[in-house]
Amino acid sequence: MSEPIKATAHVQIINGADGKPEYAVIPYQEFLHLYSQQEQLIPNAVVGKVIEQGLSPMRAWREYLKLTQAEVAETLRITQAAYAQLESSERPRKSTLQRVASALGISTEQLNI
């Protein structure tokens, strides 16, 4: 995992009409670096499902990606019932996380919410 970009004096904050920050302007090279790292990001909708609804990260990602358990199970070459058990597991194995992440098209790190 790459290190986060440190704040620099080159960041410009633009306030809206109400005086509250509305935009942050960063140097283009920093933007490109952040943009190249976006595959490691976790959408707010996924985090919300995990925190607010108590879903497992696997289920939250699957629902976010609009996939059924059967579709993911087929990719993994297991039954839907077997995938349902994986999805509800409180402490899945690292190898399981890797396989599921690959099936969902995300990184293993993105499942570690």
Side-chain angles (χ1 to χ4, degrees):
M1 190 174 219
S2 66
E3 293 183 30
I5 294 179
K6 295 179 175 71
T8 67
H10 297 88
V11 175
Q12 178 184 6
I13 304 298
I14 301 173
N15 295 329
D18 60 0
K20 294 181 181 177
E22 198 166 317
Y23 300 97
V25 180
I26 62 173
Y28 188 65
Q29 289 302 314
E30 288 185 34
F31 165 78
L32 290 175
H33 176 75
L34 290 171
Y35 189 77
S36 72
Q37 299 301 313
Q38 79 176 5
E39 70 274 357
Q40 299 300 319
L41 299 178
I42 301 170
N44 186 54
V46 172
V47 175
K49 286 176 180 283
V50 172
I51 293 173
E52 295 168 10
Q53 298 176 25
L55 302 184
S56 71
M58 278 186 225
R59 181 174 176 185
W61 271 105
R62 178 183 55 76
E63 289 183 2
Y64 175 77
L65 296 169
K66 298 182 181 354
L67 298 170
T68 66
Q69 286 184 340
E71 290 170 326
V72 179
E74 184 178 335
T75 302
L76 293 170
R77 296 183 180 188
I78 60 176
T79 66
Q80 179 274 325
Y83 179 74
Q85 287 182 334
L86 292 178
E87 202 172 79
S88 64
S89 174
E90 289 191 26
R91 292 188 180 187
R93 294 179 181 175
K94 184 177 179 179
S95 60
T96 299
L97 289 174
Q98 291 170 335
R99 290 183 62 221
V100 172
S102 178
L104 294 173
I106 61 174
S107 69
T108 307
E109 290 80 16
Q110 289 172 300
L111 280 178
N112 292 322
I113 299 175

